[in-house]
Amino acid sequence: DHRYIVGCRGTIGVATQCAWLLGYVLEHVLGVYDCGPEGLAFLEDIGPQDCLLFFSVSRYYKMDLNMVKFVRSRSAKICLVTDSLVSPMVPLADEVIAADTQHISFFNSMSSFSFIVEYLAYLISQKEAKRYQEKANERDTLTACLRLDG
């Protein structure tokens, strides 16, 4: 049961944040930050017991759609976080969360996506409170020698 967190181009940052946070609570969390041939190769072994969390904003690309189609062909669960319910990946997803990404500039704002990631991490950490605490304590112990305050 692997969890693949995918973000490409403008969503790489939020996907990286998501994979990092969920890695504190869950096992087998893998970040994929390429929607081309390398990313597809990374997903070669995905199957029905796995889950893809895909972050997508417009401008949508064929390679993103191809990746989601590939995952659908492998019967893995697909959760899509997108800026529009008319995204071409929506019909392929099992679950969809839509969030506004409009910004005063040409670029999409990832603030709403970051909120979703942090809220998701919070909910999972509450559901898996004992496991989260064990992993947090273990990481704290492992990194104690690296901190300036220790």
Side-chain angles (χ1 to χ4, degrees):
D1 59 339
H2 291 80
R3 290 103 172 157
Y4 295 89
I5 313 300
V6 178
C8 301
R9 296 168 306 282
T11 62
I12 289 173
V14 74
T16 302
Q17 175 192 23
C18 184
W20 179 70
L21 287 172
L22 293 185
Y24 275 101
V25 187
L26 303 171
E27 292 182 349
H28 310 296
V29 176
L30 307 161
V32 180
Y33 314 117
D34 180 326
C35 290
E38 293 299 319
L40 280 171
F42 199 81
L43 294 171
E44 260 180 340
D45 297 326
I46 198 166
Q49 71 285 359
D50 300 321
C51 178
L52 176 81
L53 176 54
F54 195 97
F55 292 93
S56 172
V57 294
S58 66
R59 303 179 168 55
Y60 308 110
Y61 288 84
K62 289 179 185 177
M63 57 188 156
D64 300 2
L65 184 58
N66 288 341
M67 179 178 274
V68 174
K69 283 180 178 178
F70 172 75
V71 170
R72 173 57 53 223
S73 76
R74 296 296 185 96
S75 301
K77 184 166 180 95
I78 299 171
C79 302
L80 178 68
V81 179
T82 185
D83 62 341
S84 174
L85 293 176
V86 296
S87 160
M89 281 143 310
V90 166
L92 299 167
D94 297 294
E95 305 291 337
V96 177
I97 300 173
D100 190 19
T101 60
Q102 288 185 342
H103 193 267
I104 59 171
S105 75
F106 173 77
F107 300 100
N108 292 307
S109 169
M110 290 293 105
S111 297
S112 59
F113 280 30
S114 290
F115 173 80
I116 290 167
V117 165
E118 291 192 25
Y119 188 59
L120 181 62
Y122 167 77
L123 291 174
I124 293 171
S125 69
Q126 294 303 299
K127 184 178 178 191
E128 302 288 336
K130 183 178 182 213
R131 178 171 172 68
Y132 165 73
Q133 194 58 55
E134 288 170 356
K135 286 193 85 162
N137 289 340
E138 179 181 31
R139 286 189 187 202
D140 201 35
T141 301
L142 289 171
T143 59
C145 63
L146 303 174
R147 292 193 306 271
L148 292 175
D149 65 351

